[in-house]
Amino acid sequence: MTLNRFDASASSDTSTPLRVHRRPVHRRATVAAGLLACAVLVAFVRPGGRASASPARMALAGAAARPSAPASFPGLDSLRGVSRKLRARFLAPRHAAAIPVLRQYFGDSAVSRPGVYAADDSSGAFHFITMRPFADKVKGRIGGYRIGFFPAEVRAARSVAYRNPEGFLEVTAGNADTPISEHFRLRDFLTKDQGSIWPKYLVLREPLVDKLELVLDELRGMGIPASRLRVMSGFRTPQYNALGVGAGGRANDSRHQYGDAADVYVVNGSQDWMSDLNGDGRVDTRDAGVLASAAERVEQRYPQLIGGIGIYKATDAHGPFVHIDVRGNRARWGAL
């Protein structure tokens, strides 16, 4: 296993690979055990909630510090999601601090500074991305990047799912193309503003990425050509979301602000527009309906990824698209 650190805070424009001294080969299984501890830890965290102090979680976290014999221990595989296509795990500072293997192999900066930490094995690259804490946002900004104020900062949260996020992924021009799954990169989910300002900040949840990968697979399984899903809108900072709030526009408490929603469409070929998915020679909401039906089928198969599915018509600015999220309860809107 090869380990590298890409320090997201080292520069506003570039991230230079740093080779981390590798431990002896017999410690490989220890790394795997530690990675599995990551999976168990994060699995117990709900949006806005706290990590469970379960015996299983504590036992696995402790196992990261102990030698383990089997070199074939499937550590990274346990982190690749239901789709088996995730390539990243996002860690808030307090969660990173609870995983000894991060400090052991990447140093103290892995838990004290935001960064991208790469672990390569025979299955391909996987990245641990540590966040900046929410408290680093001061007067609606981190540095020169405008974020604004989340709904729970100005009024009581309507539920646990609407609490403030725990932290922000720090995205630089140098790490923006970090793969977070087979088909998606960090930059795909950035707010569509402040183009010249780096670093940027992102809230994103792995279950959303997992679900989008499954929707792409489902379309192909249905015999629908689907080269890629284009993310038209991923994370929206509260200040950006507020620009479109109003009748017929964005919701004040839109799930896009919490990193678990994306507006997407299928792109086949060079035209950046929804493709003709139903083969009728036109592109309209019927094609969005095909995409929505694939998302519906994914939810039926994987109820842990349940959320919102909304169909939107084309305008002069964009083609038809589908909103997909993992809010934790079923929501549907829009019509063919």
Side-chain angles (χ1 to χ4, degrees), residues 211 299 303 305-309 325-332:
K211 186 174 184 177
E299 287 195 6
L305 298 176
I306 195 168
I309 301 174
D325 70 49
V326 287
R327 67 182 64 192
N329 58 276
R330 189 178 190 276
R332 298 291 184 269

Side-chain angles (χ1 to χ4, degrees), residues 9-139:
S9 63
S11 167
S12 62
D13 293 311
T14 60
S15 297
T16 304
L18 174 65
R19 177 71 61 180
V20 178
H21 293 294
R22 184 178 175 181
R23 301 292 181 180
V25 174
H26 71 274
R27 300 299 294 276
R28 179 181 178 187
T30 303
V31 176
L35 300 184
L36 182 60
C38 277
V40 173
L41 175 66
V42 179
F44 279 91
V45 179
R46 302 295 298 174
R50 296 185 175 182
S52 166
S54 71
R57 186 195 116 204
M58 292 187 290
L60 282 168
R66 298 195 300 269
S68 182
S72 60
F73 194 93
L76 285 177
D77 281 350
S78 67
L79 303 178
R80 295 190 186 275
V82 179
S83 67
R84 316 307 298 163
K85 294 182 178 180
L86 294 185
R87 300 290 182 267
R89 179 68 65 175
F90 313 136
L91 297 169
R94 68 186 180 91
H95 299 152
I99 303 169
V101 73
L102 287 180
R103 180 179 277 112
Q104 181 181 355
Y105 283 88
F106 297 114
D108 290 342
S109 64
V111 298
S112 63
R113 298 170 63 189
V116 178
Y117 302 85
D120 299 323
D121 70 0
S122 59
S123 299
F126 194 92
H127 301 89
F128 294 94
I129 307 179
T130 52
M131 305 180 196
R132 288 192 68 157
F134 185 83
D136 281 2
K137 183 173 70 71
V138 178
K139 296 182 179 179

Side-chain angles (χ1 to χ4, degrees), residues 191-261:
T191 301
K192 303 296 193 292
D193 71 347
Q194 305 176 77
S196 64
I197 298 177
W198 298 93
K200 304 178 189 298
Y201 293 93
L202 171 64
V203 178
L204 184 61
R205 293 187 57 223
E206 299 95 331
L208 172 65
V209 185
D210 206 14
K211 186 174 184 177
L212 295 179
E213 288 284 1
L214 289 166
V215 169
L216 197 52
D217 282 347
E218 190 66 34
L219 284 167
R220 293 167 177 171
M222 294 163 62
I224 306 297
S227 294
R228 64 189 179 99
L229 275 182
R230 175 82 157 87
V231 180
M232 188 175 80
S233 180
F235 170 59
R236 295 181 196 147
T237 61
Q239 68 91 26
Y240 181 80
N241 187 73
L243 298 176
V245 170
R250 301 168 186 164
N252 186 62
D253 54 0
S254 167
R255 294 309 308 172
H256 286 270
Q257 299 171 101
Y258 301 92
D260 59 13

